[in-house]
Amino acid sequence: MSLTCEEPALTGSYDVVGSFPKSFGYGVEEADMEESSTPADKPRILLMGLRRSGKSSIQKVVFHKMSPNETLFLESTNKIYKDDISSSSFVNFQIWDFPGQVDFFDPTFDSEMIFKGTGALIFVIDAQDDYVEALGRLHLTVSRAYKVNPDINFEVFIHKVDGLSDDHKIETQRDIHQRANDDLADASLEKVHLSFYLTSIYDHSIFEAFSKVVQKLIPQLPTLENLLNIFISHSGIEKAFLFDVVSKIYIATDSSPVDMQSYELCCDMIDVVIDVSCIYGLMEDGSGCAYDKESLAIIKLNNTTVLYLKEVTKFLALVCILREESFERKGLIEYNFHCFRKAIHEVFEVGTSIWMPASSSSNNLSGLKYAALNGNAV
């Protein structure tokens, strides 16, 4: 389904995450794509933190499309909850949600089994609460996990910052960053690197933070970024994101800095496309697909900005921001996109390998350059 519409320019930040169907159909993808995504050892992401810090709410909002307001009625987690996320071959991992009262010194707690297969450990700290106890638990968790698996990515979500002023947010992040790293230095764990993010389920910051976490688990990330850089540089595009449509996590973007407002615009566009497709793109009996290989959307804002969305695989969409004058060369953009899409499919085909063969996407990359140098689609 294609969608073209004119919209007024959106200014400012967006405080409410848009609506999104809890489930929708996918189109049937090529058979070789299905066969190539054979399940391998899935990376594991651990969600840890004190009770009521917001761990389960994060998981439900990001991966199960729960409304942030509905999370107020979630019960506290009292056992390890394992959630298999398999929305695409790139975003393909398990999330383990741990209860806040987990005791690392309990004989039944198997640190070796839990931390050995972990790709990332997310520790959630409630920024609106006294975080002294949380920092102590963070240090205990990180030091225990690092001894078992030094390759874990340690991520700290300073959560529930929607109720804080901008100055308070910055001060809280600085204080937590300083204390946490001082504790590690005192324990001679200077080699441990902690990444800090300010997050809230009431805006897009939680999706942005999870995007950064997931990208570290994607071995093909340098290849994807290189493909995006070549695509935008030869198509007159200002910014491009490769989105996992279901979760609105962007698994890759070009090398230019990410502007939060641009990311929010692209997220909102995905919501619009899926919502409209669910209304007008399905049969009367509800059958059909809301997102398939024909999915395309163009939204023109009144500030000469154009938003462009196109299906890449049955799980991924390319969302671009460009100017109207650049969009006049639509034929060139579409040809370059065809080359880009073909290269991404080749990345899928070698998805089980850490590195792509040097020749695997050379034909498609040269096609992008050739089309751009000649100024028109061949």
Side-chain angles (χ1 to χ4, degrees), residues 128-170:
Q128 298 186 22
D129 199 2
D130 182 9
Y131 44 79
V132 173
E133 182 183 355
L135 285 170
R137 179 62 64 88
L138 169 64
H139 178 73
L140 178 62
T141 303
V142 169
S143 57
R144 189 70 175 266
Y146 184 76
K147 290 178 182 177
V148 176
N149 183 4
D151 296 325
I152 293 179
N153 296 321
F154 294 103
E155 321 284 352
V156 181
F157 284 8
I158 303 172
H159 197 48
K160 302 183 183 179
V161 297
D162 48 279
L164 306 180
S165 65
D166 290 342
D167 289 342
H168 195 177
K169 289 178 187 178
I170 295 172

Side-chain angles (χ1 to χ4, degrees), residues 206-222:
I206 190 62
F207 296 94
E208 164 84 1
F210 240 107
S211 296
K212 298 291 180 61
V213 172
V214 169
Q215 287 169 24
K216 295 179 183 179
L217 303 179
I218 300 175
Q220 303 94 339
L221 182 62

Side-chain angles (χ1 to χ4, degrees), residues 75-122:
E75 296 181 1
S76 295
T77 305
N78 53 21
K79 63 179 180 179
I80 299 177
Y81 177 76
K82 301 177 183 179
D83 192 10
D84 188 10
I85 306 297
S86 55
S87 54
S88 82
S89 62
F90 290 109
V91 186
N92 191 17
F93 50 80
Q94 289 184 327
I95 292 185
W96 289 18
D97 183 7
F98 281 75
Q101 67 273 20
V102 63
D103 183 4
F104 292 108
F105 300 103
D106 189 323
T108 61
F109 187 87
D110 189 348
S111 299
E112 190 76 18
M113 184 276 293
I114 290 174
F115 295 129
K116 201 65 177 178
T118 296
L121 190 157
I122 299 175

Side-chain angles (χ1 to χ4, degrees), residues 14 71 87 130 169 183 224 249 262 310 339 370:
Y14 314 106
T71 62
S87 54
D130 182 9
K169 289 178 187 178
D183 289 344
L224 298 176
I249 285 175
S262 298
K310 200 166 174 66
C339 298
Y370 183 77

Side-chain angles (χ1 to χ4, degrees), residues 15 40 48 67 83 106 108 130 134 147 173 202 209 214 227 238 264 275 325 361-362:
D15 297 321
M48 309 186 86
S67 166
D83 192 10
D106 189 323
T108 61
D130 182 9
K147 290 178 182 177
Q173 182 176 16
Y202 291 96
V214 169
L227 289 172
E238 294 186 357
E264 291 171 351
D275 286 347
E325 53 267 27
S361 60
S362 59

Side-chain angles (χ1 to χ4, degrees), residues 8-23:
L10 301 177
T11 58
S13 59
Y14 314 106
D15 297 321
V16 180
V17 177
S19 61
F20 198 92
K22 294 188 177 181
S23 62

Side-chain angles (χ1 to χ4, degrees), residues 19-271:
S19 61
F20 198 92
K22 294 188 177 181
S23 62
F24 58 87
Y26 280 121
V28 178
E29 193 66 34
E30 291 86 344
D32 58 342
M33 290 289 291
E34 294 283 358
E35 294 170 1
S36 66
S37 57
T38 53
D41 291 334
K42 296 181 181 179
R44 183 186 305 154
I45 294 180
L46 308 184
L47 269 175
M48 309 186 86
L50 298 182
R51 289 171 56 89
R52 311 304 299 178
S53 59
K55 304 182 296 297
S56 299
S57 299
I58 291 172
Q59 181 188 2
K60 295 295 185 183
V61 168
V62 175
F63 297 106
H64 297 280
K65 302 301 121 194
M66 179 178 283
S67 166
N69 293 325
E70 292 179 22
T71 62
L72 297 172
F73 305 102
L74 288 176
E75 296 181 1
S76 295
T77 305
N78 53 21
K79 63 179 180 179
I80 299 177
Y81 177 76
K82 301 177 183 179
D83 192 10
D84 188 10
I85 306 297
S86 55
S87 54
S88 82
S89 62
F90 290 109
V91 186
N92 191 17
F93 50 80
Q94 289 184 327
I95 292 185
W96 289 18
D97 183 7
F98 281 75
Q101 67 273 20
V102 63
D103 183 4
F104 292 108
F105 300 103
D106 189 323
T108 61
F109 187 87
D110 189 348
S111 299
E112 190 76 18
M113 184 276 293
I114 290 174
F115 295 129
K116 201 65 177 178
T118 296
L121 190 157
I122 299 175
F123 195 92
V124 183
I125 296 178
D126 185 350
Q128 298 186 22
D129 199 2
D130 182 9
Y131 44 79
V132 173
E133 182 183 355
L135 285 170
R137 179 62 64 88
L138 169 64
H139 178 73
L140 178 62
T141 303
V142 169
S143 57
R144 189 70 175 266
Y146 184 76
K147 290 178 182 177
V148 176
N149 183 4
D151 296 325
I152 293 179
N153 296 321
F154 294 103
E155 321 284 352
V156 181
F157 284 8
I158 303 172
H159 197 48
K160 302 183 183 179
V161 297
D162 48 279
L164 306 180
S165 65
D166 290 342
D167 289 342
H168 195 177
K169 289 178 187 178
I170 295 172
E171 178 60 28
T172 299
Q173 182 176 16
R174 186 204 61 77
D175 188 39
I176 291 177
H177 181 281
Q178 184 69 43
R179 292 193 189 189
N181 283 298
D182 286 349
D183 289 344
L184 291 175
D186 292 342
S188 300
L189 293 173
E190 294 91 346
K191 292 183 179 180
V192 178
H193 175 71
L194 302 179
S195 299
F196 297 86
Y197 309 87
L198 295 171
T199 61
S200 170
I201 59 173
Y202 291 96
D203 57 29
H204 292 80
S205 60
I206 190 62
F207 296 94
E208 164 84 1
F210 240 107
S211 296
K212 298 291 180 61
V213 172
V214 169
Q215 287 169 24
K216 295 179 183 179
L217 303 179
I218 300 175
Q220 303 94 339
L221 182 62
T223 303
L224 298 176
E225 290 181 345
N226 186 40
L227 289 172
L228 285 166
N229 283 332
I230 295 173
F231 173 69
I232 69 167
S233 64
H234 297 307
S235 304
I237 291 171
E238 294 186 357
K239 189 67 182 172
F241 295 92
L242 191 60
F243 271 97
D244 172 45
V245 177
V246 175
S247 64
K248 291 188 291 186
I249 285 175
Y250 69 93
I251 66 168
T253 185
D254 58 88
S255 56
S256 63
V258 175
D259 173 54
M260 192 63 178
Q261 186 174 355
S262 298
Y263 172 65
E264 291 171 351
L265 266 176
C266 294
C267 285
D268 290 343
M269 184 182 192
I270 293 175
D271 284 337

